[in-house]
Amino acid sequence: MKAVPADVPADTAPDRPDGAPVPRTRTGAARLGRSALALLVLLCGVTLVLGFANKNRCTGPEFDQWGRSQPDFADRKYAEACYSDIQFLWIGRDVDRHVFPYVDGGINSSGELSGGTVEYPVLTGLLIWLGAMFVHTDAGFLLASALLMAPFGLLTAWLLGRLSRWRALLWALSPPLVLYAFHNWELPVVLCATAAVYVVHRGWGRRGVERPLLHRAYAAALLLGLGFAFKLYPAIFVLPLMLYVLTGGRGGAELAAGKTREVAGAVKVALIAMGTAVAVNVPFAVAGFDGWLASFVFQGQRKADITANSIWYWGLRPESDPQNEAVHHVIGIASPLLVIASFAAACVVGWVRHRREGTYPWVAVSAAMLCGFLLLHKVHSPQYTLWLVPMFVLLRVRWGWIAAYAVADLAMGIGIFLWFAEIAENEPAGVYEGFAAQAVMIGVWGRAALLVGLFTAFLNARNTFDGQDDGDSPPDGLRRPVAAAGPRPAPPTDGGAAATRS
């Protein structure tokens, strides 16, 4: 063990032959430099370009009077596996008419949205409106939406690189980013969830992670509240974050003197997250309550049908036919109850781990809860994989899990549209009658089995952003014995800091 000179900052260590300091995290893991981060973001940009090119295959070359791509868009979107919700929803939600969302909207007795209401939370609705503002075709809408969302994907790559170094390539070069970056409006919400982890474990500004835990957690709660206003899933992470704050962060080291639990701080985390979500939603609810409410009603009424890609539809066939109201009523009750049960189980296991190791593993618990949601919710859209990819970066799970999930997701992401094309063409489309249907089965049941396994794997995983993956720091709450290496260096007296490196 060698002492770092007192004039070397605490977050650096002499890691090169010339003694030049290499930036390190608080726990000792080497950070990526600016050039490496720039390369990472550049590679992510290339992947996003490929993702746009993949979806852009469905646009043009001609357009009808409504701006819909021709010829044969209805056939091409499935047969060529280039379908995107972005292009598809150009027609049918008054997006093409540039109607401001929610204010004059509603939902009819048939469950159809109108008047500018879309089936997404308000910030996504606003993003949709902005993407359509200056365009007049579905191709222009896809391009404008991609330009709006690409910065969110790039910033996610940068944050993950700052957190987990080159492991962030799992995001920057991931096949799901090619398949789904511009399939729907997921990139902003993924950024919100990733940024919440970042501010808790890296902070911001000159003080960075030296800011009090409560300040960092409150900022994360705000980000999770904003994420809820894009898509709902970041709300899942609020409870684990509360438990992390309640127990005083890493090793309980950030509890105030004399405290064993930070109850007030945990409650404030919940209030900030809820307050942020409410503050964003209230203007839309006031301006047009029926249109605002309709987006939630639409999702509540959605059935676990052939488009849902969930275990509920496939596991209960043929009883899960959309006309079987009794079965779908049961699904509507059983699905959320089981999701909540999975959340509770993850939190309890996290608490057991906290008692054993000293730190509540809030990111690992969040990842497990996300697996429970993806597995048990009545809808499992293909692009939800983008929610999971950052967890592969942030948590150290075996590469086999990641590779297997990528294969199952690829089977679903391509197979489902080829299968829809066969159905549309009245071709044989039974489970045993072709590749596409079998690919869907691999996707549905492969993902389901892997999510069960990942639920456990995540709960036992070490994170990759506190140095736990490279031997530079002990597991949460544990201290590595210090080897006898001569007298301990005297503490600095001139404002510097001492550190050690193996």
Side-chain angles (χ1 to χ4, degrees):
M1 307 284 285
K2 297 191 298 183
V4 176
D7 59 345
V8 176
D11 63 348
T12 62
D15 214 22
R16 300 195 311 222
D18 60 3
V22 173
R24 289 186 174 270
T25 67
R26 191 185 210 185
T27 54
R31 295 176 181 168
L32 292 183
R34 291 182 180 178
S35 297
L37 284 170
L39 176 60
L40 181 69
V41 172
L42 176 63
L43 291 173
C44 183
V46 171
T47 305
L48 291 174
V49 169
L50 293 175
F52 174 75
N54 178 43
K55 298 303 184 182
N56 196 49
R57 293 181 295 119
C58 267
T59 64
E62 302 171 2
F63 303 92
D64 62 20
Q65 64 268 38
W66 297 286
R68 173 63 79 202
S69 290
Q70 298 295 329
D72 304 322
F73 170 75
D75 298 328
R76 283 192 292 147
K77 69 180 187 289
Y78 294 146
E80 298 181 17
C82 55
Y83 171 89
S84 72
D85 289 336
I86 297 174
Q87 184 184 8
F88 181 76
L89 291 177
W90 170 251
I91 302 292
R93 301 289 188 272
D94 290 328
V95 175
D96 59 318
R97 300 178 183 179
H98 311 103
V99 175
F100 192 81
Y102 310 106
V103 174
D104 299 309
I107 186 170
N108 62 26
S109 58
S110 300
E112 298 171 344
L113 297 171
S114 62
T117 293
V118 294
E119 56 266 47
Y120 305 110
V122 294
L123 289 185
T124 294
L126 192 60
L127 193 67
I128 292 170
W129 176 72
L130 289 171
M133 184 179 292
F134 301 110
V135 300
H136 302 284
T137 66
D138 59 2
F141 182 46
L142 178 64
L143 175 59
S145 298
L147 291 174
L148 280 174
M149 289 193 292
F152 293 95
L154 296 173
L155 186 52
T156 298
W158 185 84
L159 293 176
L160 289 172
R162 293 269 295 174
L163 282 164
S164 301
R165 304 171 297 285
W166 288 114
R167 194 176 177 93
L169 288 172
L170 286 171
W171 168 263
L173 297 178
S174 67
L177 206 56
V178 175
L179 289 176
Y180 311 124
F182 307 117
H183 181 93
N184 197 284
W185 293 269
E186 308 300 328
L187 294 183
V189 69
V190 172
L191 174 62
C192 288
T194 304
V197 176
Y198 183 88
V199 297
V200 171
H201 294 278
R202 291 292 183 270
W204 65 92
R206 296 177 64 88
R207 294 183 64 190
V209 77
E210 298 304 323
R211 294 177 184 273
L213 171 62
L214 292 182
H215 294 180
R216 290 179 276 127
Y218 296 160
L222 186 147
L223 287 163
L224 294 176
L226 285 176
F228 176 87
F230 278 110
K231 295 289 180 78
L232 303 185
Y233 89 89
I236 295 172
F237 303 162
V238 174
L239 179 56
L241 178 59
M242 291 173 62
L243 294 172
Y244 183 73
V245 170
L246 178 72
T247 55
R250 185 172 174 83
E254 299 199 54
L255 287 169
K259 280 190 175 183
T260 58
R261 295 288 181 262
E262 181 54 66
V263 177
V267 171
K268 287 181 181 178
V269 166
L271 292 176
I272 290 172
M274 290 188 292
T276 302
V278 169
V280 174
N281 276 271
V282 162
F284 292 89
V286 171
F289 182 79
D290 291 341
W292 170 81
L293 183 63
S295 64
F296 295 96
V297 173
F298 180 91
Q299 293 296 346
Q301 292 180 349
R302 187 172 179 184
K303 296 178 178 178
D305 58 17
I306 195 173
T307 68
N309 309 308
S310 71
I311 61 172
W312 296 100
Y313 172 75
W314 290 102
L316 297 177
R317 291 181 71 198
E319 285 76 15
S320 57
D321 182 275
Q323 305 306 317
N324 194 336
E325 295 290 344
V327 168
H328 284 279
H329 178 72
V330 171
I331 293 173
I333 296 173
S335 174
L337 287 178
L338 288 173
V339 167
I340 292 171
S342 74
F343 290 176
C347 289
V348 168
V349 173
W351 191 263
V352 171
R353 183 170 162 184
H354 155 66
R355 295 293 298 273
R356 184 175 68 245
E357 300 174 359
T359 299
Y360 190 84
W362 82 278
V363 177
V365 172
S366 296
M369 291 170 71
L370 181 57
C371 288
F373 178 85
L374 295 176
L375 174 67
L376 298 168
H377 192 249
K378 63 181 178 180
V379 177
H380 189 163
S381 296
Q383 73 272 10
Y384 292 175
T385 298
L386 290 178
W387 305 355
L388 198 59
V389 173
M391 295 303 183
F392 290 141
V393 177
L394 297 170
L395 295 165
R396 176 162 289 275
V397 294
R398 294 182 181 276
W399 292 103
W401 287 114
I402 301 171
Y405 200 88
V407 170
D409 178 71
L410 192 66
M412 170 58 73
I414 296 176
I416 189 68
F417 299 115
L418 298 180
W419 187 55
F420 285 167
E422 291 178 353
I423 293 173
E425 293 295 326
N426 293 317
E427 296 179 3
V431 173
Y432 303 105
E433 295 180 308
F435 163 78
Q438 292 185 15
V440 172
M441 291 299 95
I442 293 172
V444 170
W445 295 114
R447 288 187 315 185
L450 289 165
L451 286 170
V452 172
L454 283 168
F455 183 89
T456 301
F458 280 138
L459 285 174
N460 288 283
R462 301 294 178 186
N463 65 51
T464 63
F465 49 82
D466 278 337
Q468 295 175 0
D469 60 331
D470 57 11
D472 284 342
S473 69
D476 287 345
L478 302 180
R479 297 187 181 277
R480 181 183 293 126
V482 179
R488 172 180 285 186
T493 59
D494 58 353
T500 58
R501 180 173 67 87
S502 299

